[in-house]
Amino acid sequence: MKKILFAFVLTILFNYLGNAQDKKEYKVSKTNKEWKTLLTKKQYYVLREAGTERQNSSSLNKNYKKGLYVCAACKTPLYKSENKYDSGSGWPAFDKAIKKNVELDVDYKIGYARTELKCNTCGGHLGHSFDDGPRDTTGKRHCINGAALEFISK
């Protein structure tokens, strides 16, 4: 029994240490308290707690002006307006991101693997990537929470 308990404790310890070492350090890093002072409640929920805003709740969903979409937390440029399209999903959708500014991660929060999209500068949760985008471009749909973005008009 002692050997089984010892093996169990070692397994838990190695899993904890392995996960702690895998945490990426981002260029912009703040405490939760600092993020809460900089972001609205909805932005904090989406960007820092990996939440999802209500469908059709973002004014950016139907925004078709020319410009740039940046991270609401750290202002990193994430998407160009020419890559935005109406997916009919109720969230802003893009067929590609600005190279190296959006990180792809794996999310198991709903019981199966999904491709999570994060800001590569601050680690803020943006949304998810799906393979049902426009076939004439990338075939990807970056389904992004409007609360994670700010729009800068050209």
Side-chain angles (χ1 to χ4, degrees), residues 13-79:
L13 180 64
F14 283 121
N15 280 335
Y16 175 77
L17 291 175
N19 289 337
Q21 290 173 351
D22 290 342
K23 291 214 177 207
K24 179 179 175 179
E25 288 193 31
Y26 293 96
K27 292 176 197 167
V28 174
S29 180
K30 300 185 182 307
T31 66
N32 288 337
K33 186 177 180 180
E34 289 172 316
W35 283 123
K36 284 180 180 179
T37 63
L38 294 171
L39 303 170
T40 67
K41 284 184 181 187
K42 186 188 280 189
Q43 288 172 328
Y44 184 85
Y45 170 67
V46 169
L47 286 158
R48 308 316 311 168
E49 296 178 335
T52 301
E53 67 190 5
R54 279 187 1 262
Q55 186 177 24
N56 296 308
S57 66
S58 173
S59 62
L60 295 179
N61 187 37
K62 299 293 183 182
N63 178 35
Y64 298 108
K65 297 174 188 169
K66 291 189 184 231
L68 193 62
Y69 293 85
V70 301
C71 176
C74 69
K75 312 310 180 225
T76 295
L78 302 173
Y79 295 97

Side-chain angles (χ1 to χ4, degrees), residues 113-127:
R114 295 185 298 173
T115 303
E116 180 182 13
L117 301 168
K118 295 179 178 178
C119 174
N120 202 25
T121 302
C122 70
H125 170 79
L126 305 171

Side-chain angles (χ1 to χ4, degrees), residues 87-139:
S87 68
S89 68
W91 288 275
F94 303 85
D95 64 354
K96 68 179 177 180
I98 295 174
K99 284 189 184 219
K100 299 184 181 181
N101 289 1
V102 175
E103 170 187 2
L104 279 64
D105 201 356
V106 180
D107 167 7
Y108 293 97
K109 292 179 186 100
I110 61 172
Y112 60 90
R114 295 185 298 173
T115 303
E116 180 182 13
L117 301 168
K118 295 179 178 178
C119 174
N120 202 25
T121 302
C122 70
H125 170 79
L126 305 171
H128 293 89
S129 179
F130 302 97
D131 293 327
D132 59 1
R135 292 177 191 241
D136 59 332
T137 60
T138 64

